Amino acid sequence: MSIDPEPAPVSAKPPVTLREVAAAAGVSVATASKALNGQGRMTAETRERIRETARLLGFRPNSLAQSLLRKRSFTVGLLTNDTYGRFSLPLMAGVSDALVDKGVSVFLCNVEDDQRLGQLHVEAMLDKRVDGIVATGKRIDRHLPVDLSNLRIPVVYAFTQPDPGAVGLVSDDAGGARLAVEHFLRLGRRRIAHVSGPASFAVVHARAQAWRDVMRENSLAVSEPLLGAWSEAWGHDAVEKLFGRAGREGWPDAVFCGNDQIARGVIDALRERGIRVPDDVGVIGFDNWQIVAEATRPPLTSVDMNLSALGREAGLALLSLVDGQPAAPGIRKLPCRLVVRQSCGGPPQ
Amino acid sequence: MSIDPEPAPVSAKPPVTLREVAAAAGVSVATASKALNGQGRMTAETRERIRETARLLGFRPNSLAQSLLRKRSFTVGLLTNDTYGRFSLPLMAGVSDALVDKGVSVFLCNVEDDQRLGQLHVEAMLDKRVDGIVATGKRIDRHLPVDLSNLRIPVVYAFTQPDPGAVGLVSDDAGGARLAVEHFLRLGRRRIAHVSGPASFAVVHARAQAWRDVMRENSLAVSEPLLGAWSEAWGHDAVEKLFGRAGREGWPDAVFCGNDQIARGVIDALRERGIRVPDDVGVIGFDNWQIVAEATRPPLTSVDMNLSALGREAGLALLSLVDGQPAAPGIRKLPCRLVVRQSCGGPPQ
DNA sequence: GCGGGTTGGGAAAAGGTTTTCTCAGAGGGA
DNA sequence: TCCCTCTGAGAAAACCTTTTCCCAACCCGC
């Protein structure tokens, strides 16, 4: 009876190293390295032989060793406090997409609103020598619960409040609002109301101001915006306020909403009152939260903040910072786009 | 006139190394390393002095160097194809939370449904010597578009179809469905209908079967489940099918829905017909998608799959695999929980 | 035949840490 | 005094790759 050999863990053989490639090709590691990186001088034949050997052996350079030497790890950290992910996820996907092609990987760091967690993540990333950090959040007027101001590495802020002097990317909320209101105007609507979220949000004011501006530019009467919550329930209440009065002559013929949930509430409340959308009243939302916008009856026209493009831009901006290109500090605003569905009358011809 | 010195890039001084700590403390790097790691033998006084020096200098060991030596990078990869993130995000947050405390960071890899992207991400992770991979998806009966079967490193599948022989974690859909149906029964409902998503989803059958089982165990008549789409619109249609017939004696007194969107559609359609929820008909959803569940009128009781707990478990399972603990292959099901709101009559006392 | 340039390739250091081995000195027993 | 054992600490190898420097051989023209 023989003792069984140690049962091999599933394919546990270690990765092949440059040294093994060199040995197999009968050259030194230095030559092997140069052959694979297109550096140094050697006969084309030697270079090709080494390359072929590496290919055959399935050699892949150890990124850790490379990073140690180059002082560049080809990783970045992505900080977020948006657990729910409605805004973060497209953003994160955009960052990751922009970077994966350049061989840069992204550490996911969910810091909630927890100082300790933030600290923990930042230290872990620093220890792992990330080349830079993208900080994202769920609103652009709040800081993440971490201090990124004195790091050795570049930081880009996307959809969250940047430190002074840092690079920040946000969506152009005012521009997005203009898109919506001007769309209404092109369709011939004139009495355009605005229903939005809590006054504590900076975006609420930015969007309301743009709405006001466009109305005034077109010499239209402008009332106070209705500010409440980011909820369907508030959409219902707002309809009561707007359409509760007897006599339909004062009723709006369009409602521009601060987000899609409010718009959903508005549309449902209008239907319950027998007011037709879009025939009697047009509705436009904000966020273009697809699953909500497509479930309203009729489907909701909405402003899209292009968050994955924002993420991509943030990733690229960080990369150029890492490469040492100076970037203009300050906040850069990226344009929104209007996604036309059926809640404000057919698209203009 | 003197030439200005090179303007220092913002705090560009490199991190302090062990060598510097050793020099400052007047010992060798070997001794310094041992002092900080609690290894080796030296006077308590020496150890303390070195520690103090390191603290003063803000020394943090270079994780890359450590990883290179220990053949353990304290990073794992997180693969997902759920860009929208409704399921992925809590899962991902769970994985990350479980691991950050152990000093393990998580690479975010969004592979969409793109083979090439999957390949790219997997190779990047392998190059960076991740210790293991968590694969997650948006449904448990589909593979990710990557082959993880012959990797050198352990893989755990969470909420996606595992390779045969691998470790997989999913929610207990049947158990979740039982929770819902049994809740109805406790409240005295007897004619419980089931409206769910497309028959192409495995979970649809698992949930429907559990519904059927509970009904039969309680000697209740069971009809065919209504299978359609995962949408509000289908919820409306299903109500037409269930409640369209004249004569309310055959009407259900409860509807168990395959997800929250269907439930939302059902509730809205019932209200439009003047059927009261929960007085006439109770409704329970699935997924506990908070933002939907809380916006229905009345707020929706729903089955929660505990996805962040699932993520946590997946992270821990991967870690023990990485540590060499053998794990039983196969699929482990984690319990769901019922979140009671107001759509099926007051919570049982 | 010889100096100078070129060509192909290797040796070695560097990056930061951990770990094993070695060693000098101190202390103790005979 | 001699031998042995401990104790505290350092030297060096190892992890894997890149890059700089160096060297031997060859070719050319004179």
Side-chain angles (χ1 to χ4, degrees), chain A:
Chain A
M1 226 178 82
S2 70
I3 308 232
D4 276 344
E6 180 103 353
V10 189
S11 60
K13 56 176 180 318
V16 17
T17 70
L18 186 59
R19 187 201 309 273
E20 300 173 76
V21 174
V27 296
S28 71
V29 281
T31 306
S33 172
K34 285 181 284 196
L36 297 176
N37 293 316
Q39 306 289 326
R41 286 176 317 202
M42 68 199 71
T43 47
E45 188 267 332
T46 306
R47 194 181 294 274
E48 196 40 52
R49 176 166 46 90
I50 296 173
R51 289 211 163 133
E52 182 64 12
T53 311
R55 217 181 45 68
L56 248 43
L57 264 47
F59 169 75
R60 308 228 56 187
N62 183 332
S63 199
L64 296 170
Q66 291 181 319
S67 303
L68 189 58
L69 199 53
R70 300 191 196 160
K71 299 180 167 316
R72 179 87 190 270
S73 67
F74 289 91
T75 58
V76 304
L78 181 52
L79 240 41
T80 175
N81 68 344
D82 181 16
T83 311
Y84 194 71
R86 188 157 117 233
F87 301 127
S88 268
L89 216 103
L91 228 154
M92 287 162 36
V95 173
S96 170
D97 285 357
L99 298 186
V100 65
D101 283 319
K102 322 243 174 190
V104 176
S105 302
V106 175
F107 281 126
L108 170 66
C109 301
N110 172 27
V111 303
E112 317 269 344
D113 287 308
D114 184 341
Q115 287 251 1
R116 175 193 143 268
L117 213 49
Q119 179 91 10
L120 207 59
H121 273 296
V122 170
E123 283 177 358
M125 291 194 300
L126 257 28
D127 288 350
K128 294 195 169 108
R129 296 302 191 263
V130 292
D131 297 328
I133 293 181
V134 178
T136 81
K138 51 193 165 191
R139 54 188 287 190
I140 64 178
D141 51 359
R142 285 286 183 279
H143 249 105
L144 289 180
V146 289
D147 179 19
L148 303 175
S149 56
N150 278 317
L151 266 36
R152 271 185 303 277
I153 52 175
V155 179
V156 169
Y157 295 80
F159 210 75
T160 190
Q161 187 160 83
D163 278 324
V167 175
L169 271 63
V170 300
S171 53
D172 179 7
D173 282 273
R178 291 194 86 91
L179 248 39
V181 181
E182 286 168 354
H183 184 69
F184 276 143
L185 291 175
R186 270 197 305 280
L187 296 175
R189 316 263 174 184
R190 289 293 175 268
R191 299 186 306 284
I192 306 171
H194 182 40
V195 179
S196 196
S200 58
F201 280 69
V203 293
V204 165
H205 300 288
R207 295 171 192 173
Q209 189 55 48
W211 161 75
R212 222 175 268 126
D213 289 347
V214 178
M215 296 296 278
R216 293 210 176 112
E217 285 162 18
N218 289 272
S219 314
L220 295 172
V222 40
S223 54
E224 277 304 296
L226 269 57
L227 306 188
W230 294 120
S231 66
E232 288 188 37
W234 164 236
H236 278 89
D237 294 351
V239 166
E240 167 65 29
K241 287 188 205 295
L242 287 170
F243 298 85
R245 300 164 293 195
R248 50 193 307 156
E249 62 286 342
W251 289 1
D253 59 3
V255 184
F256 167 44
C257 302
N259 79 355
D260 290 345
Q261 289 159 270
I262 296 175
R264 167 78 194 252
V266 165
I267 290 184
D268 284 353
L270 289 173
R271 186 175 47 251
E272 284 168 20
R273 288 175 177 267
I275 301 174
R276 292 168 308 166
V277 175
D279 306 20
D280 300 328
V281 177
V283 178
I284 296 186
F286 213 106
D287 292 350
N288 190 33
W289 191 9
Q290 195 173 338
I291 210 141
V292 174
E294 290 180 349
T296 60
R297 290 172 297 158
L300 181 67
T301 292
S302 184
V303 178
D304 191 307
M305 293 188 282
N306 285 326
L307 289 177
S308 53
L310 191 67
R312 230 186 312 281
E313 286 302 313
L316 296 177
L318 182 62
L319 227 50
S320 75
L321 242 38
V322 169
D323 284 337
Q325 323 259 348
I331 297 187
R332 200 167 109 222
K333 293 187 178 169
L334 267 59
C336 300
R337 73 177 202 277
L338 188 72
V339 176
V340 176
R341 295 197 183 83
Q342 296 154 40
S343 62
C344 40
Q349 309 305 338

Side-chain angles (χ1 to χ4, degrees), chain B residues 83-108:
Chain B
T83 311
Y84 192 71
R86 188 158 117 234
F87 301 128
S88 267
L89 213 102
L91 228 153
M92 287 161 37
V95 173
S96 171
D97 286 355
L99 299 186
V100 67
D101 283 318
K102 322 241 174 190
V104 176
S105 302
V106 175
F107 281 126
L108 171 65

Side-chain angles (χ1 to χ4, degrees), chain B residues 72-329:
Chain B
R72 181 82 191 273
S73 67
F74 289 91
T75 58
V76 303
L78 181 52
L79 242 41
T80 175
N81 67 343
D82 180 16
T83 311
Y84 192 71
R86 188 158 117 234
F87 301 128
S88 267
L89 213 102
L91 228 153
M92 287 161 37
V95 173
S96 171
D97 286 355
L99 299 186
V100 67
D101 283 318
K102 322 241 174 190
V104 176
S105 302
V106 175
F107 281 126
L108 171 65
C109 301
N110 172 26
V111 302
E112 315 270 345
D113 287 307
D114 184 340
Q115 287 252 0
R116 174 194 144 267
L117 213 49
Q119 180 92 11
L120 208 58
H121 273 297
V122 171
E123 282 176 1
M125 291 195 300
L126 257 29
D127 289 350
K128 291 189 171 112
R129 298 299 190 264
V130 293
D131 297 329
I133 292 181
V134 178
T136 80
K138 50 191 163 193
R139 52 187 287 191
I140 63 178
D141 50 359
R142 286 285 184 279
H143 249 104
L144 289 179
V146 288
D147 179 19
L148 302 175
S149 56
N150 279 315
L151 266 36
R152 268 186 305 277
I153 51 175
V155 179
V156 169
Y157 295 80
F159 210 75
T160 190
Q161 186 161 83
D163 278 324
V167 176
L169 270 64
V170 299
S171 53
D172 180 6
D173 282 273
R178 291 194 86 92
L179 247 39
V181 181
E182 286 169 354
H183 184 69
F184 276 143
L185 290 175
R186 269 196 306 278
L187 296 175
R189 315 265 174 184
R190 290 293 175 269
R191 297 185 309 283
I192 306 170
H194 182 41
V195 178
S196 196
S200 59
F201 280 69
V203 293
V204 166
H205 299 289
R207 295 170 191 174
Q209 188 58 47
W211 162 75
R212 223 176 266 125
D213 290 347
V214 178
M215 296 296 277
R216 293 211 177 111
E217 287 162 17
N218 289 272
S219 314
L220 295 172
V222 39
S223 54
E224 277 303 296
L226 269 57
L227 305 189
W230 293 121
S231 67
E232 288 189 37
W234 163 236
H236 278 88
D237 295 350
V239 166
E240 166 65 29
K241 285 189 206 293
L242 287 170
F243 298 84
R245 299 163 293 196
R248 51 190 309 155
E249 63 286 341
W251 288 0
D253 58 4
V255 184
F256 168 44
C257 302
N259 79 353
D260 289 345
Q261 289 161 270
I262 296 175
R264 168 80 193 251
V266 165
I267 288 184
D268 283 354
L270 289 173
R271 186 176 46 251
E272 284 168 21
R273 288 174 176 266
I275 301 173
R276 293 168 306 167
V277 175
D279 307 18
D280 300 327
V281 177
V283 177
I284 295 184
F286 213 104
D287 292 350
N288 189 34
W289 192 8
Q290 195 173 339
I291 210 141
V292 174
E294 290 180 349
T296 61
R297 291 174 295 157
L300 180 66
T301 293
S302 184
V303 178
D304 190 307
M305 293 189 283
N306 284 325
L307 288 176
S308 52
L310 191 68
R312 229 186 313 280
E313 286 299 314
L316 295 177
L318 182 62
L319 227 49
S320 74
L321 242 37
V322 168
D323 283 337
Q325 321 260 349

